[in-house]
Amino acid sequence: MSEQTATWFNLYDARPEAEVPAESPLAWAYHKTGRPSVSQKSRVVLRERAMLGHLILRGGAIVLDEAVRRVLGFGLPGRPNGLTRDESGERSIQWLSPDEWLLIVPGGEEFGLEGKLREALGDAHYAIVNVSGGQTLIELEGEMARELLMKSTPYDVHPDAFPVGKGVTTVFAKANLILRRPTEERWELVLRRSFADYCYRWILDAGTEYAIGVKD
């Protein structure tokens, strides 16, 4: 007598309806602390990429890579702590642990994308979790961005140790976050919503001597 195993999961569109106001994780920080303007003296510039789609993928690398390539047109990183992006640079995948990846896409794409990935994966053993509401992404650019990071994290951010295309989970100002370097000029901090206000105020304080500015 054969046994059949049913796979059950709930799939929800977590994106609020248009009439429901959605706030950035930094909305309160902007209100209380403000946003220093970018000026000609600014040697560090901060920008929040709020409301992006964040999906955690877990499973075997081969089967996930095939599904991601079929749906998105590019694959998983080929090495630990690797970061891959599509041609536009708007979609990225980072290797977090041996069977775990973080997929970030433009806001609003995550629900439809999750459905397509589940269809492509079929009966494979995997997990997909939408964590968009619990995370945000902060970009840092400017000639002194690396110096600001050196104040804030014990991880070695020298270009020899942290080349373009790398991302790590590390400590930042006593908080945990994901630090990534997608391009020569830009660093990204992927952090939990609960750390957003604290990290934002830390960055402003650490960047005061560099005349840090905040882009809308």
Side-chain angles (χ1 to χ4, degrees):
M1 181 176 179
S2 63
E3 294 184 0
Q4 292 183 340
T5 302
T7 301
W8 300 93
F9 60 86
N10 294 321
L11 185 59
Y12 299 104
D13 186 354
R15 179 88 27 191
E17 298 295 335
E19 63 271 15
V20 179
E23 287 190 331
S24 151
L26 289 180
W28 177 248
Y30 293 150
H31 174 70
K32 290 292 290 184
T33 311
R35 287 189 272 196
S37 299
V38 179
S39 69
Q40 293 183 343
K41 296 181 179 180
S42 296
R43 292 184 289 166
V44 179
V45 175
L46 179 152
R47 178 190 179 199
E48 184 195 14
R49 297 287 305 282
M51 309 301 180
L52 298 179
H54 297 238
L55 297 175
I56 295 290
L57 312 181
R58 302 204 68 164
I62 295 176
V63 67
L64 282 176
D65 183 68
E66 291 175 350
V68 168
R69 287 183 184 277
R70 195 181 314 165
V71 175
L72 287 170
F74 69 106
L76 302 180
R79 62 180 60 188
N81 295 328
L83 177 67
T84 57
R85 302 189 300 157
D86 68 355
E87 293 182 357
S88 71
E90 293 296 313
R91 297 160 189 84
S92 65
I93 303 175
Q94 181 180 341
W95 189 337
L96 298 181
S97 70
D99 68 346
E100 183 180 15
W101 293 264
L102 172 62
L103 171 59
I104 298 182
V105 298
E109 287 188 9
E110 64 274 14
F111 179 64
L113 178 59
E114 181 179 351
K116 292 177 181 178
L117 286 173
R118 290 187 181 278
E119 183 178 355
L121 287 162
D123 295 330
H125 295 283
Y126 68 91
I128 302 176
V129 181
N130 185 344
V131 295
S132 307
Q135 298 189 163
T136 193
L137 187 151
I138 291 175
E139 295 178 347
L140 293 177
E141 292 183 293
E143 60 182 295
M144 301 303 286
R146 187 163 68 89
E147 280 69 15
L148 190 153
L149 292 173
M150 290 168 63
K151 293 183 180 184
S152 308
T153 177
Y155 202 92
D156 187 355
V157 292
H158 189 277
D160 290 344
F162 212 123
V164 172
K166 183 174 181 176
V168 299
T169 301
T170 187
V171 175
F172 183 95
K174 298 184 180 180
N176 291 324
L177 52 69
I178 298 169
L179 178 63
R180 303 146 42 116
R181 192 181 182 199
T183 70
E184 289 283 353
E185 300 81 17
R186 189 169 78 249
W187 297 82
E188 294 178 343
L189 284 62
V190 182
L191 59 151
R192 289 164 51 185
R193 174 180 285 268
S194 56
F195 289 148
D197 175 75
Y198 165 70
C199 288
Y200 175 74
R201 287 186 287 120
W202 174 283
I203 292 169
L204 290 191
D205 184 66
T208 300
E209 65 175 303
Y210 310 130
I212 187 170
V214 179
K215 281 186 178 179
D216 293 334

